Amino acid sequence: MSQFNRLPFRLFVMCVVFVFGTVIAVFHFSYGLLEQEVRSNSNLIIQHLQAKADQNISLMHSSLESMLYVAEAAYMSNGHNPEELQRFLKKLFEVNMGLIQDIYIIQSDTSIIGGSNISAAYDGAEEWRQPILERVNKDRRTIFVSDPYFSRYNGWTVTMAKYIPGTEPLSAAAVDIDLKRLEYVLYDINQGTTVVTTIVDSKGRLISGNTAAIGATMSSNPHDPTFQMGSVASRRLVGESGDYGQLKVNSPNGVQEWFMTKSSSTRYNWSILTFTNDSFLQRSFERFQHIRFTFLTVGLLASLLIAFLITRYIRNPLHQLMLKMRLIRQGHLDIPVVLDRKDEFGDLSQSFDLMLARIRELLRNVEQEKELKRLLELQVLQSQINPHFLYNTLGAISNMVTLGKTDKVDAVIQALIHILEYGIADVSERVPLQDELDNVRNYLFVQNIRYNSFYELETEVEEGLWDYPVFRMSLQPLVENSLFHGYKGGRLPGLIRVSVYRTKDRVLVDVRDYGTGMPDELRRTVLEPSAALWNSGKRRRIGLSNIHQRIALYYGSDYGLEFPAVTGPGTIVRASFPILLKGETVHDPALFDC
């Protein structure tokens, strides 16, 4: 046995694994609680940063609302004087430059009066301004905020507009937000941390934020500035609810794992996405690394020491037991095993000695019972020879003498003598198939005289199987079954066919009749042990179950009797035997001794 397969070694390994595993489990549990607490504090910081970003967006929105009201008042005061209105809007734009890209009045024909140089250059009617007027006209009481769009004048922008009361046809005051201003706001908020904050609209398009810092790839389409983080698109990030979870993406410094937290803007239909990686947390855990190494080293040494002490306590008595059991395995059943110990090993050795004594006694009894069982089996099978068969056969002989058919008496008596001599011999002996078939012919000859009927025996034996060894009296009960079930107990004549042939792994003997057949219920139960001696009125015969059990006893449960399906009338009883091994003989006692 390999040293690695021995119980002491396995026990040593199990003790080391258990003790050291317990140390690791306790450490990781404590470390996990600490990490959870640090992450919880980190989440509070992230929530604070998101709230701060939303506050700045709300302040910007309030400032833009104020500008729209100022532009509205200027139009109502100077609407009849476009030049004066333009000068006022220009001053208003210059004061708020950096927060807005333009401020202007959209007139009913979509032309504008604006405060920036760009609006002065493109103040003519533009079709793209018509949807803004329509949205403002749809709800004149609120301020309209457009989705982000790409303007050929101002690039990526968002427009806010409101209806100017009393203007018919419709006019509206509008501002184009400078989205770059939001980037400066986010930079100030995230300064001093490893957190990256971005703002996207409901379609995942970037409004503001440094996506390069998180390894994201921007779309090349300026009209659709979405981005991709690894295999996750920004559209999907917006579609998820709450904390999206862990994202593994390529960053400028290699592959990193990012955690995303999302919140919604209170003023706009925007989402604030905050990204953070483990570098923020790792700095908090670095000071615990040397403590972890020391703790695990001490735990490993303690587990090795405990495992060694436990293993040594068990190894010594176990080794002594193994030495004595090897001798017992070699056949020395008289070796004492008792160990001078007061623990379970001592009890085990005493119990094992008592068991050995019992085994020695049982072996002696088995040898005695083996011979007795063989004799009893012979007596039981001999006692099963049907006395009514003898009575009826002798009665038939008497009738033949009375009727003057003395020419047949001698043949019947000779057949009966052969049957009796064959039946009372050693039933454990295997005989050639030819002898068993001769006994069946004698049996049918007597039955033909007895019932004054005609039963024809037809045999079909594959070449080389005439000498195949079968158990004595194993086929006669199968033929008797055909007479009593197939041909109504002798009331019907008929043919009985015996076929003997080989298959791949066994020899099969089929006994078929062409009579009425056995009932299905009887076929299901006739091979059960309780059917070993079955009754038919007052008659007792050698049952099919007896034959089935004898074959299975000597050859194994894969062999015995069965009832295969049959085409046409009658029944087939099939006996299966193993292929005869080379060198086996009919009278090999090792094959049939009980």
Side-chain angles (χ1 to χ4, degrees), residues 505-540:
D505 60 348
R506 60 187 63 203
V507 172
L508 301 180
V509 179
D510 289 351
V511 177
R512 176 171 183 176
D513 64 74
Y514 296 87
T516 59
M518 294 177 64
D520 292 339
E521 180 64 26
L522 182 59
R523 279 196 287 183
R524 285 193 296 268
T525 60
V526 72
L527 297 182
E528 296 177 358
S530 60
L533 292 174
W534 49 268
N535 291 323
S536 176
K538 297 181 180 180
R539 300 189 175 195
R540 295 176 59 83

Side-chain angles (χ1 to χ4, degrees), residues 116-146:
S116 70
N117 294 331
I118 294 178
S119 62
Y122 298 97
D123 58 357
E126 295 283 351
E127 293 183 0
W128 64 269
R129 299 186 185 121
Q130 185 62 39
I132 297 177
L133 289 177
E134 293 176 356
R135 290 295 303 271
V136 169
N137 185 49
K138 185 176 181 181
D139 189 357
R140 297 186 175 189
R141 292 175 297 177
T142 61
I143 295 178
F144 163 69
V145 180
S146 72

